[in-house]
Amino acid sequence: MEQKFTAISLPAAVRWLFETNGYDVSGPVERGGVEVELVATQLSGFSEQNVYIEPTVQQVDALRYDEYLAKLTPFRNEPGAQRMIISPAGFAPGVKERAVTEGILTFTYDELFANFERVQPYLSYILGDSRQAKTLQALDEVYEEPNFDDKYGNQWATRHLTEWLHDEDKDRSWLIIVGEYGTGKTALTEVLQKRWAELYQQGLSPRLPFRIELRDFAKQFDSRGLLHHFLDRNELTHLPVSFVESMISNGRVVLLLDGYDEMAQYLNVRERRACLEALADLASNGAKGILTSRPNYFTEAEELRVFEVLYQKLSGSHRPMDVLDRAVVEQEREVDSLLERFVLNRVERSLRDLTYEQTIELVRRRLKDDPEGAEVVTGLLSKVFRNEEDRNVSLSGKPVIITYLLDVVEELKKDDNEDLERKMSEWDIYNLIVNKLMLRDWARTATLFPTERLLFLQKLALHTSISQQKSVNEASFREVVRTVFESKMTRKRIEGVTDAEDSLFDDLRSSTTLTRSTDKSTAQWQFSHNSLREFLLAGYLIDCLVDGKPEPQSVPVTDTMITFVNSMPEEKLQEAYTQLSALWPSRKMHKGIDQMLTLLWGAKRHNERKNQGVAASLRDLIGDSFDLSNCTLTGVNFSSGDDVDLRNLNASSSIMTDTVFTEVNLAGSNFSESAIDACVLTNADVSGADFSNLLMLDTEITGLVCTGANFTNLTKDSTALLRVGKDLHVLDATRLRGYLKRRGAVTDPVNPYFMYCLDQNFDICEKICRVLLDGAWHQRLGLEQRGASERNVRLAKKFVQFLISVGHVQIKNGTGGKLIGTTQSGRPVVARLSENAQIDETLLPFFEQNLSQ
């Protein structure tokens, strides 16, 4: 669709287009008494080549063409010169034919833009003879179409998304596709990339699909870094990033952003917001895009109205906002607008696991030449399907599980069928797959025992998780080899073998669990599936704990790792619980023991939810002292459907992130010297608790009961989230102290204004004062019943009457009480409230009596 241009904007757009693609543009230029609007110059070897351009917003009919021909004719004989007419409105019949005979190029703006796109190398990479193209083709041939199943209905995913691709509804320009791990989100985006690239190549779609794997970004990124990453890996390094940004904003690209959750699990709240800001840049001007993620990765903490906090800070600083301040506020307003679309009002589709029938069809299609293998795999999957009511062991509808089983089908055919008859959990399935892969490597090269290779792969999973790198280069790979096989290589050197490390490196890098990275700049290796890495790492951490030697390095514990541990054999879990309980009191000596509580807590609660409460489960793991001091916890949920009593919990000097205490009784607990980030204290009772010297970040405190709680020396950078009605407020440290003080907490001195300003009726009083500030006479009825006062007329009337009773407002004589205005003493009182965020002491009794806590 052609954009709408004016006589001013069209030449500017054409100029930009040429400049972005390496031309120097000047103009107007005059020669022989005629003037041409633009001249684009490009070096070709040692000579310059000029393009003489006449842009017009009018349709070019025969009369206008003659006019432009006269302007361009003087440049006809210049060596290498090209002459061009650009008209978004198009050309009348016969004009283009005349232009061809006279050597003049004619384009609409879209046609000119398309000439600069030069995306054929990318199309060849996706659809041609490259390894990537063959991989996508193979996937497309066997792909089993999944379904969306959510509040919007039940539809075939690819069909629905292709319809969406051609939908111009700007309110649906972005979709978030959610699904548990292994449901095929990545495969869906890969199939869409291949099919939509074909539509683009055939001229059946105006949008070229750009698929970007967000899991490649373990650290904060910006929009240009994201695009550079894509261009470098997809044969598009010749395109300027600024031009690609224009392609996106002009609707010529559809973005497929895969794996938000795998990126977000490594980032804190502020880093995730920065990444969403980068996506905001890409999503500007109506660009279309799809973002995939596991559910619940758009947390309340990411709904922060940062604009609100900034505006409050800057507007309350008693100085006018300068240009830089306003720029920052406006930038955050734009990001908040994105969050409004992405998070609060998002269009979210849920990808469903494959049905039993779809699973059988997929396996048979993949193994059409191996009916025996198909029977073995479908038989194994059917055993799992018997437990479909329990999501922890319902695996057969996950395409990733099917892929793993297909990888080891030959080994599965050799097994006694009785081995496959037993009830299998998620842990059992993965353990079976990994064991088969280890045996395959042993059959290929018997230089390492399967247990040795398994230990190396676990250590490699540990290294990639700690370094937050999806892939490892040769130097890092060799470093892990040396760490794991130091004694083996020492023995080899004593025996006179000088290339022991090289031999191990060559063997291990070809392990069937690993694959070469798609990074073309250096040789790198990664696990074939991210969930395989997480399984190996979870198993390694549990093994270390059971051996009494917990892994000391800090490891990001993911949801998938917790899911795997939840499905471990009960006897293994009991061993882990026992060791955790035994080692917990000496956790200062055993670094890393706290992350094992994060890893095991979900399994403990899942398996014992019906038998005992949260408090009993916690006592089993850490003892009766309820001592969580000096530890780091992430993602632990201490809430349940029942009342949870964790009174006198000791969490001093601890660091807690994404930890949930909803409706938990924490009375008398000790959180002094701690940091809580993106936690949830909704409706929790912390009466009498010690939160002195606390750093609180982005933690929800709606309904917090905090009578007598000590919040002194609250860190000045603290922030909290508070729901007032339907609105989510972000409290900076000043407002947070005021809120806590109002609810009975002990805090540092607080300006009374901040104790009441968050009450949903406070602004009624504030706006009445603002109206009265001008000193004029005002209709009493209007003040009491209109504007903000409409929400609570009774309170507005009481406040006006209170102002009259204390002498701050007077009734004009002879008006029958209809007109009121401020008195001389009352004017500074209402000014302090409405302009200076100060409550005069004469007004405090009213707010104390009439505004709720």
Side-chain angles (χ1 to χ4, degrees):
M1 181 185 300
E2 282 283 351
Q3 302 176 62
K4 293 183 178 179
F5 291 103
T6 67
I8 295 175
S9 65
L10 178 60
V14 173
R15 175 188 290 271
W16 177 89
L17 192 54
F18 276 91
E19 287 178 340
T20 303
N21 285 275
Y23 286 81
D24 290 326
V25 182
S26 59
V29 64
E30 183 178 341
R31 181 180 297 178
V34 296
E35 185 178 86
V36 175
E37 183 76 23
L38 297 173
V39 181
T41 303
Q42 186 180 49
L43 280 177
S44 178
F46 292 102
S47 62
E48 291 183 348
Q49 290 187 320
N50 293 324
V51 182
Y52 296 93
I53 308 163
E54 275 297 319
T56 176
V57 293
Q58 305 293 329
Q59 185 191 49
V60 180
D61 55 18
L63 186 60
R64 286 198 179 91
Y65 175 74
D66 287 338
E67 176 187 340
Y68 297 132
L69 177 61
K71 289 186 174 186
L72 296 170
T73 295
F75 308 99
R76 176 178 53 193
N77 297 322
E78 182 180 311
Q82 291 182 313
R83 297 169 297 158
M84 188 180 298
I85 303 173
I86 310 297
S87 171
F91 299 83
V95 169
K96 276 183 169 287
E97 290 76 5
R98 283 188 58 192
V100 169
T101 63
E102 288 156 345
I104 293 179
L105 302 173
T106 54
F107 298 109
T108 65
Y109 183 81
D110 276 0
E111 289 169 344
L112 178 65
F113 198 105
N115 272 273
F116 282 113
E117 283 182 343
R118 297 174 291 161
V119 295
Q120 190 55 47
Y122 170 63
L123 292 173
S124 297
Y125 178 63
I126 297 299
L127 305 174
D129 295 326
S130 69
R131 175 195 284 183
Q132 179 67 10
K134 291 175 181 178
T135 299
L136 292 177
Q137 178 64 30
L139 172 64
D140 195 22
E141 289 174 356
V142 299
Y143 188 65
E144 184 65 34
E145 303 289 343
N147 289 70
F148 287 137
D149 191 5
D150 48 42
K151 67 180 181 180
Y152 298 103
N154 189 317
Q155 300 108 359
W156 294 110
T158 54
R159 181 185 304 169
H160 174 77
L161 291 173
T162 300
E163 293 173 354
W164 166 86
L165 176 67
H166 295 90
D167 186 355
E168 299 299 333
D169 184 354
K170 291 187 177 181
D171 291 334
R172 290 173 51 84
S173 60
W174 276 88
L175 296 180
I176 295 177
I177 297 177
V178 298
E180 298 294 345
Y181 89 90
T183 51
K185 300 184 294 294
T186 293
L188 173 63
T189 59
E190 289 175 333
V191 165
L192 292 177
Q193 180 187 28
K194 189 258 184 185
R195 294 180 182 177
W196 290 356
E198 288 178 336
L199 292 177
Y200 180 88
Q201 189 176 54
Q202 296 163 7
L204 300 177
S205 169
R207 297 182 174 92
L208 182 66
F210 280 8
R211 181 178 174 275
I212 302 175
E213 293 192 359
L214 296 180
R215 63 180 61 85
D216 289 343
F217 296 86
K219 296 181 180 179
Q220 182 179 319
F221 59 80
D222 58 23
S223 60
R224 290 210 157 191
L226 201 69
L227 290 179
H228 274 300
H229 175 84
F230 174 79
L231 299 177
D232 290 345
R233 287 157 177 76
N234 289 275
E235 309 294 337
L236 288 174
T237 54
H238 59 280
L239 288 183
V241 171
S242 57
F243 179 72
V244 175
E245 289 172 332
S246 180
M247 291 174 64
I248 294 170
S249 63
N250 287 323
R252 297 177 180 275
V253 167
V254 58
L255 295 166
L256 304 175
L257 306 177
D258 184 39
Y260 173 81
D261 54 298
E262 294 184 56
M263 173 202 72
Q265 67 190 14
Y266 294 115
L267 306 178
N268 62 36
V269 174
R270 282 167 170 71
E271 289 172 329
R272 291 199 294 266
R273 180 180 171 87
C275 291
L276 285 177
E277 182 181 353
L279 301 182
D281 289 342
L282 294 177
S284 61
N285 298 325
K288 292 183 79 74
I290 290 173
L291 189 67
T292 74
S293 175
R294 275 175 280 180
N296 303 323
Y297 265 83
F298 291 93
T299 65
E300 292 295 328
E302 286 174 314
E303 298 176 19
L304 294 180
R305 306 299 208 279
V306 174
F307 161 72
E308 178 183 338
V309 173
L310 282 173
Y311 187 81
Q312 289 171 347
K313 284 184 176 180
L314 293 172
S315 62
S317 64
H318 306 296
R319 64 174 177 83
M321 282 191 287
D322 59 23
V323 174
L324 289 176
D325 289 341
R326 292 186 182 279
V328 170
V329 168
E330 186 57 35
Q331 180 181 355
E332 295 302 339
R333 190 204 301 269
E334 291 176 3
V335 180
D336 285 347
S337 176
L338 169 78
L339 295 182
E340 186 78 20
R341 291 174 57 200
F342 261 2
V343 181
L344 299 177
N345 301 323
R346 61 184 179 266
V347 178
E348 182 175 291
R349 301 307 312 265
S350 296
L351 200 62
R352 193 181 69 182
D353 288 346
L354 299 179
T355 64
Y356 179 73
E357 292 74 19
Q358 288 176 309
T359 299
I360 299 303
E361 179 60 29
L362 174 58
V363 172
R364 288 175 177 168
R365 189 161 59 248
R366 292 284 299 270
L367 296 175
K368 61 182 179 182
D369 298 324
D370 184 5
E372 181 187 356
E375 183 177 353
V376 171
V377 173
T378 55
L380 176 60
L381 293 173
S382 67
K383 302 301 183 294
V384 182
F385 248 108
R386 293 178 182 175
N387 300 288
E388 191 170 2
E389 70 279 1
D390 187 343
R391 292 182 62 84
N392 286 300
V393 292
S394 178
L395 304 175
S396 54
K398 296 185 182 299
V400 69
I401 301 295
I402 299 167
T403 300
Y404 289 158
L405 293 175
L406 293 175
D407 285 341
V408 296
V409 65
E410 291 301 321
E411 284 78 10
L412 289 174
K413 288 192 295 185
K414 300 174 186 176
D415 279 340
D416 187 333
N417 286 335
E418 292 183 2
D419 292 338
L420 304 178
E421 288 293 331
R422 62 190 177 89
K423 178 181 178 181
M424 301 195 77
S425 71
E426 189 152 8
W427 183 270
D428 294 324
I429 289 284
Y430 271 78
N431 201 44
L432 170 68
I433 292 167
V434 168
N435 288 342
K436 294 300 183 184
L437 294 176
M438 295 304 101
L439 291 174
R440 177 187 292 182
D441 285 329
W442 170 256
R444 175 180 55 84
T445 169
T447 57
L448 287 171
F449 287 110
T451 51
E452 291 180 305
R453 187 180 301 275
L454 178 60
L455 176 61
F456 169 79
L457 293 169
Q458 289 176 325
K459 288 283 193 177
L460 187 65
L462 175 69
H463 175 85
T464 55
S465 295
I466 293 174
S467 63
Q468 299 185 0
Q469 296 294 327
K470 179 181 179 181
S471 304
V472 291
N473 57 25
E474 181 173 339
S476 296
F477 200 105
R478 285 180 178 273
E479 179 185 341
V480 180
V481 171
R482 288 191 291 270
T483 301
V484 176
F485 298 108
E486 180 180 7
S487 59
K488 179 187 282 285
M489 290 191 295
T490 299
R491 290 195 304 271
K492 290 291 186 180
R493 283 193 292 270
I494 294 173
E495 296 169 2
V497 178
T498 59
D499 64 345
E501 181 181 316
D502 291 337
S503 297
L504 286 169
F505 171 69
D506 290 339
D507 184 0
L508 290 165
R509 69 179 178 176
S510 60
S511 298
T512 50
T513 48
L514 303 178
T515 185
R516 288 293 293 268
S517 169
T518 56
D519 189 339
K520 299 175 183 178
S521 57
T522 59
Q524 296 197 13
W525 294 265
Q526 63 191 48
F527 286 94
S528 58
H529 293 81
N530 196 49
S531 57
L532 194 58
R533 175 188 63 80
E534 292 171 296
F535 171 78
L536 291 168
L537 180 56
Y540 170 76
L541 293 176
I542 294 296
D543 288 342
C544 290
L545 175 63
V546 170
D547 290 342
K549 300 175 181 178
E551 170 56 48
Q553 300 181 84
S554 179
V555 179
V557 175
T558 66
D559 290 348
T560 303
M561 291 167 62
I562 293 172
T563 299
F564 282 133
V565 171
N566 289 359
S567 64
M568 288 182 70
E570 183 61 29
E571 59 274 16
K572 187 79 169 180
L573 283 173
Q574 287 300 332
E575 287 184 88
Y577 297 154
T578 300
Q579 279 288 19
L580 178 62
S581 180
L583 296 175
W584 188 260
S586 58
R587 60 188 176 281
K588 288 186 179 180
M589 296 173 52
H590 295 90
K591 298 294 183 181
I593 194 71
D594 44 3
Q595 67 193 8
M596 297 311 299
L597 177 59
T598 297
L599 189 59
L600 285 167
W601 179 254
K604 184 73 173 174
R605 294 300 302 138
H606 174 77
N607 295 325
E608 299 180 352
R609 191 178 300 275
K610 296 179 181 178
N611 301 322
Q612 65 181 32
V614 170
S617 295
L618 189 58
R619 285 192 180 95
D620 282 351
L621 295 179
I622 69 170
D624 293 335
S625 63
F626 272 9
D627 189 359
L628 291 176
S629 63
N630 296 287
C631 70
T632 300
L633 294 182
T634 302
V636 178
N637 188 347
F638 290 109
S639 299
S640 74
D642 305 318
D643 294 335
V644 179
D645 188 351
L646 296 183
R647 283 176 293 177
N648 301 312
L649 179 75
N650 181 10
S652 61
S653 301
S654 63
I655 300 173
M656 295 187 177
T657 305
D658 294 319
T659 300
V660 179
F661 292 100
T662 301
E663 298 184 354
V664 174
N665 188 346
L666 292 167
S669 295
N670 184 0
F671 282 81
S672 62
E673 308 288 343
S674 291
I676 54 177
D677 184 0
C679 294
V680 181
L681 288 168
T682 302
N683 298 323
D685 185 349
V686 299
S687 301
D690 185 359
F691 287 89
S692 59
N693 300 296
L694 176 74
L695 172 62
M696 178 187 289
L697 296 174
D698 310 331
T699 291
E700 181 158 356
I701 58 170
T702 304
L704 183 69
V705 179
C706 54
T707 304
N710 180 3
F711 279 90
T712 57
N713 294 321
L714 187 70
T715 305
K716 65 179 181 179
D717 294 325
S718 293
T719 58
L721 307 179
L722 177 69
R723 290 196 179 277
V724 179
K726 296 181 179 180
D727 297 325
L728 180 69
H729 293 269
V730 183
L731 311 186
D732 59 12
T734 301
R735 280 173 166 74
L736 174 56
R737 277 192 293 269
Y739 176 78
L740 295 170
K741 179 79 171 179
R742 177 63 177 154
R743 296 182 70 83
V746 178
T747 70
D748 296 325
V750 175
N751 176 351
Y753 175 89
F754 297 108
M755 295 172 58
Y756 299 99
C757 65
L758 292 171
D759 188 283
Q760 57 186 344
N761 289 316
F762 180 80
D763 68 319
I764 294 175
C765 303
E766 196 170 31
K767 288 177 180 176
I768 288 174
C769 288
R770 187 172 298 126
V771 172
L772 291 170
L773 181 62
D774 62 7
W777 297 103
H778 294 274
Q779 289 284 343
R780 181 172 182 173
L781 182 66
L783 284 173
E784 295 177 340
Q785 299 188 26
R786 294 171 188 166
S789 298
E790 286 185 88
R791 297 201 319 271
N792 192 333
V793 174
R794 180 173 173 272
L795 178 75
K797 286 184 176 181
K798 288 183 68 175
F799 184 60
V800 169
Q801 183 57 46
F802 177 83
L803 293 175
I804 294 172
S805 68
V806 295
H808 296 328
V809 169
Q810 59 185 333
I811 301 172
K812 186 175 183 180
N813 293 330
T815 63
K818 293 182 179 180
L819 293 180
I820 60 175
T822 55
T823 62
Q824 186 174 358
S825 62
R827 194 166 300 121
V829 171
V830 298
R832 280 195 289 273
L833 181 65
S834 62
E835 290 190 334
N836 300 323
Q838 297 284 339
I839 297 179
D840 189 87
E841 61 181 13
T842 60
L843 300 185
L844 280 175
F846 176 86
F847 293 122
E848 290 172 353
Q849 297 169 17
N850 293 281
L851 296 188
S852 63
Q853 294 185 11

